[in-house]
Amino acid sequence: MNQYIEKRNEKGFTLIELLVAIVVVGILTAVAIVGIAGLTDKGNKGACNITADAARAASAVHYANSSPSAYPQTFGAMQSPAVNPPELELAGDVTGTGTTLTGKGWVLTLVPGATPADAISFTSNITGCP
């Protein structure tokens, strides 16, 4: 009987306590992953909107500076090194010079007007941009 009492007084965690701790850590991890995924989506949407705003401003400058006045037909026309400084400068992680710009998790497409003097518009694969 003495051996049973001595073993029972030993310090340590029971299997149930360890399982409960593992479950709690798993739940906290799942909540954190869902939260981080939402932040990534917001960041991608924000980067897309910033690029779209810069492209809108650059297209207005292009329209004002061109003779005859015309909106650009490609993003490359706004990035031309002949214009000093270029009307559209992109962040380092944004690529493309045709009618599409690609960032991390988004694509912005320039939709030219029917004639060069028609306003251009932008579309994206992310809801809420532009």
Side-chain angles (χ1 to χ4, degrees):
M1 187 77 170
N2 264 347
Q3 287 178 333
Y4 177 72
I5 292 173
E6 287 177 19
K7 285 184 180 178
R8 229 177 119 100
N9 289 334
E10 290 180 12
K11 305 281 185 207
F13 295 106
T14 66
L15 182 60
I16 299 295
E17 291 170 331
L18 291 174
L19 289 175
V20 168
I22 290 170
V23 167
V24 168
V25 168
I27 290 171
L28 291 175
T29 302
V31 168
I33 288 173
V34 169
I36 290 171
L39 291 177
T40 303
D41 292 343
K42 286 181 183 179
N44 288 342
K45 188 184 294 184
C48 181
N49 280 319
I50 288 170
T51 304
D53 290 344
R56 281 189 198 97
S59 66
V61 170
H62 186 277
Y63 183 85
N65 291 339
S66 63
S67 180
S69 294
Y71 285 102
Q73 299 297 301
T74 65
F75 286 112
M78 294 184 273
Q79 296 172 285
S80 171
V83 180
N84 193 7
E87 295 154 349
L88 178 62
E89 295 186 25
L90 301 173
D93 61 344
V94 179
T95 59
T97 56
T99 57
T100 61
L101 294 178
T102 305
K104 187 174 182 182
W106 55 269
V107 176
L108 184 67
T109 305
L110 180 144
V111 182
T115 67
D118 287 344
I120 61 173
S121 60
F122 302 96
T123 61
S124 176
N125 65 331
I126 292 182
T127 303
C129 176

